[in-house]
Amino acid sequence: MGNETADIVIIGGGIIGMSIAHQIARRSSLDIVVLEKGAGLGEGSTGGSSAITRQRYTQIESVRVARDGNVIWRNWSEYTGLADPVGRLHDIGVLWMMDDDPGAVAADGARLVAEGIDAVVVDTAEMQRMFPGVSACMVPFDLTGETDHVCADGVSFLVERDTGFFDATGALLDVANAAKAGGVDVRMRTEVVDVIVAGGRATGVKLADGSGIDAGLVINAAGPWCNRINVMAGLETPWDLAPTRIQVIYRDLPSVVPRPIPVIADAPGGVYFRPEAGGGQIILGSILEEDEIEDADPDDYNAAADRAFIDLKIHALHHRLPDLPYVGIPGGMASLYTVNRQDVLPIVGPTSIEGFAVVNGFSGHGFKESQTIASMMAQWITRERAVFDTDVPMSFFSIDREPIETEDHNVLA
Ligand SMILES: Cc1cc2nc3c(=O)[nH]c(=O)nc-3n(C[C@H](O)[C@H](O)[C@H](O)COP(=O)(O)OP(=O)(O)OC[C@H]3O[C@@H](n4cnc5c(N)ncnc54)[C@H](O)[C@@H]3O)c2cc1C
């Protein structure tokens, strides 16, 4: 029996692969198959994502990618065509406590406002009127508590008012349902074991059950497993994409802590955190490069958070939310994202192998960027435009680019 055929095979049903399928289906009748090895959706990076949708970035193109994605998060039902989507944007705001220099904060705010983002610079009194449970201290401190810390308030803060976070798994379910409604064939428990390349051109994939699918275009959207797919295709790339273990902590957020609590990027504590969707819990992660544990094996890594990590980082949360009682044992977990070691930006688009494209290396940015990146891919593949499309050129993320100069390689870069 011969192979099945499709116009496009997408390897990986995470938020990137599934969103590309949806974005192509909403503007074409191409025959698309998404192949996902997991038993359920979201067993890769997407399932562990904090799904923060902030728009402040170092590179202006990344600001625009996040901004254009935020328009989609804000109009999720219209974009997915689902009357009652599972996921929604929690636009609780993002409070940036990154810099104690008022000039730098003002310049940062002006940069975002110029891009059409609803950002505002506030003084300490206004910040605490908006978020009464949040300490304004901007003095860096030693989380071990071995040296004394005396709090002193900062002067000005940046707030993004039109975003916050999304439900990561809700978004994935919604975009999968939207893709299926658009005719996409989504197959679970279907592992790709080889990418077939003949004469410099990808012609399809081989599956673990021995069957094959011939396709005009094969897309590697395999998240932390992306290097394996590139090896299967024989793609030689200079990019160093590292599956990286990332830990997050959960702590109850009792009602004694004054609300509202926004998403907070906390430079003095070296952490970010946000309330969970129900509002009764906090999720906290590190913003420090030193806490990214690179070269993890995506099939064999410790998915529990380290006790030492929890015991240390939790102090940053209590410093920022002084009314949070020290009670109970915080929980935690670890999952993976894929860091592009050269410039922390993804590689997106066609490769030197005709008919083989990559969408890999999103670091901690891939959730918020997913819809915009999918828009770029769909525009390239179909040559068609659709509502909510981005104008940011895909070439910015091309596999052929020179690494972009950046001082920071941490998750907030
Ligand atoms: C702890 C944590 C916090 C994060 N926080 C944020 C955040 O606040 N904001 C943000 O924007 N981003 C965040 N991210 C990053 C974001 O979640 C990822 O960049 C994004 O989910 C990547 O999606 P993906 O589809 O590329 O990968 P994945 O979700 O990993 O999907 C890839 C899929 O490919 C499948 N696959 C792999 N190999 C094969 C194969 N051979 N055959 C078939 N299927 C295969 C896997 O099973 C997997 O489901 C965070 C990530 C983590 C881990």
Side-chain angles (χ1 to χ4, degrees), residues 241-275:
L241 309 177
T244 299
R245 180 169 168 263
I246 297 298
Q247 307 182 65
V248 293
I249 303 172
Y250 300 102
R251 195 175 209 2
D252 285 349
L253 183 61
S255 56
V256 290
V257 181
R259 289 355 190 228
I261 308 286
V263 176
I264 298 184
D266 179 344
V271 296
Y272 75 85
F273 62 90
R274 66 159 173 87

mmCIF file of all heavy atoms in Angstrom, residues 241-275:
data_model
loop_
_atom_site.group_PDB
_atom_site.id
_atom_site.type_symbol
_atom_site.label_atom_id
_atom_site.label_comp_id
_atom_site.label_asym_id
_atom_site.label_seq_id
_atom_site.Cartn_x
_atom_site.Cartn_y
_atom_site.Cartn_z
ATOM 1 N N LEU A 241 20.124 25.283 19.831
ATOM 2 C CA LEU A 241 18.810 25.316 20.481
ATOM 3 C C LEU A 241 18.815 24.321 21.645
ATOM 4 O O LEU A 241 18.871 23.115 21.432
ATOM 5 C CB LEU A 241 17.712 24.958 19.474
ATOM 6 C CG LEU A 241 17.735 25.751 18.157
ATOM 7 C CD1 LEU A 241 16.638 25.248 17.213
ATOM 8 C CD2 LEU A 241 17.559 27.248 18.409
ATOM 9 N N ALA A 242 18.748 24.842 22.857
ATOM 10 C CA ALA A 242 18.955 23.998 24.039
ATOM 11 C C ALA A 242 17.647 23.740 24.785
ATOM 12 O O ALA A 242 17.040 24.682 25.321
ATOM 13 C CB ALA A 242 19.949 24.678 24.977
ATOM 14 N N PRO A 243 17.208 22.459 24.838
ATOM 15 C CA PRO A 243 16.079 22.136 25.722
ATOM 16 C C PRO A 243 16.488 22.468 27.154
ATOM 17 O O PRO A 243 17.542 22.028 27.615
ATOM 18 C CB PRO A 243 15.886 20.622 25.542
ATOM 19 C CG PRO A 243 16.612 20.278 24.280
ATOM 20 C CD PRO A 243 17.736 21.263 24.155
ATOM 21 N N THR A 244 15.685 23.246 27.820
ATOM 22 C CA THR A 244 16.110 23.867 29.077
ATOM 23 C C THR A 244 15.073 23.654 30.174
ATOM 24 O O THR A 244 13.894 23.950 29.970
ATOM 25 C CB THR A 244 16.333 25.384 28.822
ATOM 26 O OG1 THR A 244 17.364 25.506 27.840
ATOM 27 C CG2 THR A 244 16.720 26.135 30.076
ATOM 28 N N ARG A 245 15.525 23.144 31.309
ATOM 29 C CA ARG A 245 14.598 22.851 32.414
ATOM 30 C C ARG A 245 14.305 24.130 33.203
ATOM 31 O O ARG A 245 15.223 24.830 33.634
ATOM 32 C CB ARG A 245 15.212 21.791 33.333
ATOM 33 C CG ARG A 245 14.344 21.404 34.508
ATOM 34 C CD ARG A 245 14.916 20.162 35.194
ATOM 35 N NE ARG A 245 14.278 19.937 36.480
ATOM 36 C CZ ARG A 245 14.783 20.329 37.650
ATOM 37 N NH1 ARG A 245 15.947 20.950 37.687
ATOM 38 N NH2 ARG A 245 14.128 20.098 38.760
ATOM 39 N N ILE A 246 13.010 24.386 33.379
ATOM 40 C CA ILE A 246 12.553 25.608 34.022
ATOM 41 C C ILE A 246 11.624 25.240 35.170
ATOM 42 O O ILE A 246 10.703 24.445 34.994
ATOM 43 C CB ILE A 246 11.747 26.458 33.002
ATOM 44 C CG1 ILE A 246 12.634 26.882 31.846
ATOM 45 C CG2 ILE A 246 11.111 27.677 33.637
ATOM 46 C CD1 ILE A 246 13.794 27.751 32.256
ATOM 47 N N GLN A 247 11.839 25.852 36.323
ATOM 48 C CA GLN A 247 11.021 25.514 37.484
ATOM 49 C C GLN A 247 10.037 26.633 37.809
ATOM 50 O O GLN A 247 10.367 27.812 37.649
ATOM 51 C CB GLN A 247 11.922 25.285 38.692
ATOM 52 C CG GLN A 247 13.019 24.262 38.421
ATOM 53 C CD GLN A 247 13.881 24.008 39.633
ATOM 54 O OE1 GLN A 247 13.412 23.500 40.635
ATOM 55 N NE2 GLN A 247 15.140 24.384 39.546
ATOM 56 N N VAL A 248 8.869 26.243 38.255
ATOM 57 C CA VAL A 248 7.916 27.236 38.775
ATOM 58 C C VAL A 248 7.399 26.748 40.132
ATOM 59 O O VAL A 248 7.377 25.552 40.414
ATOM 60 C CB VAL A 248 6.727 27.506 37.821
ATOM 61 C CG1 VAL A 248 7.186 28.194 36.556
ATOM 62 C CG2 VAL A 248 5.969 26.243 37.493
ATOM 63 N N ILE A 249 6.985 27.724 40.930
ATOM 64 C CA ILE A 249 6.506 27.458 42.297
ATOM 65 C C ILE A 249 5.040 27.880 42.389
ATOM 66 O O ILE A 249 4.643 28.888 41.792
ATOM 67 C CB ILE A 249 7.328 28.290 43.316
ATOM 68 C CG1 ILE A 249 8.811 27.962 43.180
ATOM 69 C CG2 ILE A 249 6.839 28.058 44.739
ATOM 70 C CD1 ILE A 249 9.700 28.876 44.017
ATOM 71 N N TYR A 250 4.269 27.134 43.151
ATOM 72 C CA TYR A 250 2.876 27.503 43.424
ATOM 73 C C TYR A 250 2.728 27.804 44.910
ATOM 74 O O TYR A 250 3.234 27.061 45.735
ATOM 75 C CB TYR A 250 1.936 26.338 43.076
ATOM 76 C CG TYR A 250 2.007 25.933 41.638
ATOM 77 C CD1 TYR A 250 2.713 24.800 41.250
ATOM 78 C CD2 TYR A 250 1.374 26.692 40.664
ATOM 79 C CE1 TYR A 250 2.794 24.437 39.918
ATOM 80 C CE2 TYR A 250 1.447 26.329 39.333
ATOM 81 C CZ TYR A 250 2.163 25.199 38.963
ATOM 82 O OH TYR A 250 2.243 24.841 37.652
ATOM 83 N N ARG A 251 2.029 28.896 45.214
ATOM 84 C CA ARG A 251 1.755 29.191 46.623
ATOM 85 C C ARG A 251 0.342 29.746 46.736
ATOM 86 O O ARG A 251 -0.086 30.527 45.892
ATOM 87 C CB ARG A 251 2.728 30.237 47.155
ATOM 88 C CG ARG A 251 2.689 30.253 48.704
ATOM 89 C CD ARG A 251 3.676 31.160 49.286
ATOM 90 N NE ARG A 251 4.248 30.922 50.580
ATOM 91 C CZ ARG A 251 4.075 29.922 51.426
ATOM 92 N NH1 ARG A 251 3.300 28.934 51.142
ATOM 93 N NH2 ARG A 251 4.683 29.894 52.592
ATOM 94 N N ASP A 252 -0.365 29.296 47.779
ATOM 95 C CA ASP A 252 -1.723 29.812 47.996
ATOM 96 C C ASP A 252 -1.690 31.322 48.191
ATOM 97 O O ASP A 252 -0.742 31.865 48.773
ATOM 98 C CB ASP A 252 -2.343 29.154 49.246
ATOM 99 C CG ASP A 252 -2.756 27.718 48.960
ATOM 100 O OD1 ASP A 252 -2.744 27.339 47.773
ATOM 101 O OD2 ASP A 252 -3.067 26.992 49.921
ATOM 102 N N LEU A 253 -2.735 31.963 47.744
ATOM 103 C CA LEU A 253 -2.846 33.422 47.872
ATOM 104 C C LEU A 253 -4.124 33.733 48.655
ATOM 105 O O LEU A 253 -5.186 33.966 48.068
ATOM 106 C CB LEU A 253 -2.896 34.047 46.469
ATOM 107 C CG LEU A 253 -2.930 35.561 46.363
ATOM 108 C CD1 LEU A 253 -1.678 36.185 46.974
ATOM 109 C CD2 LEU A 253 -3.068 36.002 44.913
ATOM 110 N N PRO A 254 -4.041 33.710 49.996
ATOM 111 C CA PRO A 254 -5.262 33.891 50.786
ATOM 112 C C PRO A 254 -5.801 35.316 50.678
ATOM 113 O O PRO A 254 -5.101 36.239 50.252
ATOM 114 C CB PRO A 254 -4.812 33.558 52.211
ATOM 115 C CG PRO A 254 -3.341 33.725 52.210
ATOM 116 C CD PRO A 254 -2.852 33.482 50.819
ATOM 117 N N SER A 255 -7.057 35.481 51.133
ATOM 118 C CA SER A 255 -7.749 36.764 50.932
ATOM 119 C C SER A 255 -7.160 37.896 51.771
ATOM 120 O O SER A 255 -7.477 39.064 51.535
ATOM 121 C CB SER A 255 -9.239 36.600 51.243
ATOM 122 O OG SER A 255 -9.372 36.102 52.554
ATOM 123 N N VAL A 256 -6.286 37.582 52.743
ATOM 124 C CA VAL A 256 -5.667 38.674 53.529
ATOM 125 C C VAL A 256 -4.721 39.525 52.686
ATOM 126 O O VAL A 256 -4.375 40.643 53.068
ATOM 127 C CB VAL A 256 -4.880 38.134 54.748
ATOM 128 C CG1 VAL A 256 -5.819 37.581 55.796
ATOM 129 C CG2 VAL A 256 -3.840 37.100 54.337
ATOM 130 N N VAL A 257 -4.316 39.004 51.543
ATOM 131 C CA VAL A 257 -3.436 39.801 50.666
ATOM 132 C C VAL A 257 -4.323 40.711 49.804
ATOM 133 O O VAL A 257 -5.176 40.228 49.065
ATOM 134 C CB VAL A 257 -2.588 38.890 49.753
ATOM 135 C CG1 VAL A 257 -1.672 39.730 48.868
ATOM 136 C CG2 VAL A 257 -1.788 37.897 50.572
ATOM 137 N N PRO A 258 -4.135 42.035 49.932
ATOM 138 C CA PRO A 258 -4.997 42.954 49.188
ATOM 139 C C PRO A 258 -4.925 42.734 47.678
ATOM 140 O O PRO A 258 -3.846 42.516 47.128
ATOM 141 C CB PRO A 258 -4.460 44.348 49.564
ATOM 142 C CG PRO A 258 -3.712 44.141 50.842
ATOM 143 C CD PRO A 258 -3.177 42.748 50.789
ATOM 144 N N ARG A 259 -6.063 42.750 47.036
ATOM 145 C CA ARG A 259 -6.155 42.629 45.572
ATOM 146 C C ARG A 259 -6.318 44.016 44.968
ATOM 147 O O ARG A 259 -6.735 44.923 45.673
ATOM 148 C CB ARG A 259 -7.355 41.785 45.181
ATOM 149 C CG ARG A 259 -7.428 40.281 45.398
ATOM 150 C CD ARG A 259 -6.274 39.570 45.917
ATOM 151 N NE ARG A 259 -6.492 38.111 45.825
ATOM 152 C CZ ARG A 259 -6.286 37.259 46.801
ATOM 153 N NH1 ARG A 259 -5.839 37.673 47.982
ATOM 154 N NH2 ARG A 259 -6.476 35.959 46.628
ATOM 155 N N PRO A 260 -6.125 44.180 43.649
ATOM 156 C CA PRO A 260 -5.700 43.158 42.698
ATOM 157 C C PRO A 260 -4.182 42.952 42.701
ATOM 158 O O PRO A 260 -3.419 43.849 43.064
ATOM 159 C CB PRO A 260 -6.145 43.736 41.353
ATOM 160 C CG PRO A 260 -6.048 45.216 41.529
ATOM 161 C CD PRO A 260 -6.405 45.477 42.976
ATOM 162 N N ILE A 261 -3.787 41.752 42.276
ATOM 163 C CA ILE A 261 -2.368 41.450 42.057
ATOM 164 C C ILE A 261 -2.175 41.303 40.549
ATOM 165 O O ILE A 261 -2.828 40.474 39.920
ATOM 166 C CB ILE A 261 -1.963 40.108 42.707
ATOM 167 C CG1 ILE A 261 -2.378 40.038 44.177
ATOM 168 C CG2 ILE A 261 -0.466 39.870 42.525
ATOM 169 C CD1 ILE A 261 -1.560 40.857 45.115
ATOM 170 N N PRO A 262 -1.299 42.112 39.951
ATOM 171 C CA PRO A 262 -1.048 41.982 38.503
ATOM 172 C C PRO A 262 -0.002 40.903 38.237
ATOM 173 O O PRO A 262 0.476 40.255 39.159
ATOM 174 C CB PRO A 262 -0.486 43.357 38.140
ATOM 175 C CG PRO A 262 0.280 43.752 39.381
ATOM 176 C CD PRO A 262 -0.467 43.174 40.563
ATOM 177 N N VAL A 263 0.368 40.723 37.001
ATOM 178 C CA VAL A 263 1.609 40.022 36.668
ATOM 179 C C VAL A 263 2.743 40.945 37.104
ATOM 180 O O VAL A 263 2.705 42.140 36.817
ATOM 181 C CB VAL A 263 1.723 39.773 35.142
ATOM 182 C CG1 VAL A 263 3.065 39.123 34.810
ATOM 183 C CG2 VAL A 263 0.557 38.928 34.640
ATOM 184 N N ILE A 264 3.736 40.412 37.803
ATOM 185 C CA ILE A 264 4.830 41.274 38.277
ATOM 186 C C ILE A 264 6.178 40.734 37.794
ATOM 187 O O ILE A 264 6.473 39.548 37.958
ATOM 188 C CB ILE A 264 4.825 41.372 39.819
ATOM 189 C CG1 ILE A 264 3.504 42.006 40.285
ATOM 190 C CG2 ILE A 264 6.029 42.191 40.311
ATOM 191 C CD1 ILE A 264 3.409 42.250 41.789
ATOM 192 N N ALA A 265 6.957 41.617 37.189
ATOM 193 C CA ALA A 265 8.358 41.315 36.859
ATOM 194 C C ALA A 265 9.197 42.058 37.884
ATOM 195 O O ALA A 265 9.186 43.294 37.924
ATOM 196 C CB ALA A 265 8.689 41.774 35.448
ATOM 197 N N ASP A 266 9.886 41.306 38.728
ATOM 198 C CA ASP A 266 10.497 41.839 39.945
ATOM 199 C C ASP A 266 12.012 41.685 39.871
ATOM 200 O O ASP A 266 12.557 40.642 40.227
ATOM 201 C CB ASP A 266 9.893 41.039 41.119
ATOM 202 C CG ASP A 266 10.443 41.454 42.477
ATOM 203 O OD1 ASP A 266 11.482 42.132 42.535
ATOM 204 O OD2 ASP A 266 9.825 41.076 43.485
ATOM 205 N N ALA A 267 12.694 42.732 39.405
ATOM 206 C CA ALA A 267 14.156 42.644 39.259
ATOM 207 C C ALA A 267 14.883 42.473 40.594
ATOM 208 O O ALA A 267 15.782 41.634 40.694
ATOM 209 C CB ALA A 267 14.690 43.853 38.499
ATOM 210 N N PRO A 268 14.519 43.235 41.648
ATOM 211 C CA PRO A 268 15.255 43.043 42.902
ATOM 212 C C PRO A 268 15.176 41.608 43.418
ATOM 213 O O PRO A 268 16.134 41.102 43.987
ATOM 214 C CB PRO A 268 14.573 44.028 43.871
ATOM 215 C CG PRO A 268 13.988 45.082 42.995
ATOM 216 C CD PRO A 268 13.571 44.370 41.728
ATOM 217 N N GLY A 269 14.044 40.945 43.231
ATOM 218 C CA GLY A 269 13.897 39.567 43.696
ATOM 219 C C GLY A 269 14.360 38.539 42.675
ATOM 220 O O GLY A 269 14.450 37.351 42.991
ATOM 221 N N GLY A 270 14.576 38.971 41.427
ATOM 222 C CA GLY A 270 14.994 38.045 40.368
ATOM 223 C C GLY A 270 13.893 37.076 39.966
ATOM 224 O O GLY A 270 14.170 35.959 39.508
ATOM 225 N N VAL A 271 12.627 37.483 40.122
ATOM 226 C CA VAL A 271 11.508 36.578 39.827
ATOM 227 C C VAL A 271 10.421 37.301 39.038
ATOM 228 O O VAL A 271 10.393 38.536 38.954
ATOM 229 C CB VAL A 271 10.856 36.033 41.131
ATOM 230 C CG1 VAL A 271 11.841 35.181 41.913
ATOM 231 C CG2 VAL A 271 10.283 37.155 41.987
ATOM 232 N N TYR A 272 9.530 36.502 38.446
ATOM 233 C CA TYR A 272 8.240 37.008 37.970
ATOM 234 C C TYR A 272 7.178 36.182 38.670
ATOM 235 O O TYR A 272 7.427 35.043 39.083
ATOM 236 C CB TYR A 272 8.119 36.890 36.439
ATOM 237 C CG TYR A 272 7.876 35.472 35.962
ATOM 238 C CD1 TYR A 272 6.581 34.941 35.914
ATOM 239 C CD2 TYR A 272 8.928 34.639 35.590
ATOM 240 C CE1 TYR A 272 6.371 33.631 35.500
ATOM 241 C CE2 TYR A 272 8.720 33.332 35.185
ATOM 242 C CZ TYR A 272 7.427 32.837 35.141
ATOM 243 O OH TYR A 272 7.208 31.539 34.757
ATOM 244 N N PHE A 273 5.997 36.757 38.831
ATOM 245 C CA PHE A 273 4.897 35.938 39.331
ATOM 246 C C PHE A 273 3.568 36.529 38.896
ATOM 247 O O PHE A 273 3.486 37.675 38.453
ATOM 248 C CB PHE A 273 4.974 35.740 40.857
ATOM 249 C CG PHE A 273 4.888 36.991 41.696
ATOM 250 C CD1 PHE A 273 3.675 37.485 42.143
ATOM 251 C CD2 PHE A 273 6.039 37.677 42.061
ATOM 252 C CE1 PHE A 273 3.596 38.616 42.936
ATOM 253 C CE2 PHE A 273 5.983 38.811 42.856
ATOM 254 C CZ PHE A 273 4.751 39.280 43.290
ATOM 255 N N ARG A 274 2.521 35.697 39.014
ATOM 256 C CA ARG A 274 1.177 36.140 38.651
ATOM 257 C C ARG A 274 0.173 35.292 39.417
ATOM 258 O O ARG A 274 0.484 34.163 39.823
ATOM 259 C CB ARG A 274 0.940 35.989 37.151
ATOM 260 C CG ARG A 274 0.916 34.532 36.655
ATOM 261 C CD ARG A 274 0.187 34.465 35.329
ATOM 262 N NE ARG A 274 0.215 33.183 34.657
ATOM 263 C CZ ARG A 274 -0.657 32.198 34.860
ATOM 264 N NH1 ARG A 274 -1.586 32.318 35.794
ATOM 265 N NH2 ARG A 274 -0.587 31.076 34.162
ATOM 266 N N PRO A 275 -1.051 35.815 39.595
ATOM 267 C CA PRO A 275 -2.075 34.962 40.187
ATOM 268 C C PRO A 275 -2.519 33.898 39.189
ATOM 269 O O PRO A 275 -2.450 34.119 37.972
ATOM 270 C CB PRO A 275 -3.233 35.922 40.493
ATOM 271 C CG PRO A 275 -2.932 37.184 39.799
ATOM 272 C CD PRO A 275 -1.524 37.173 39.303
#
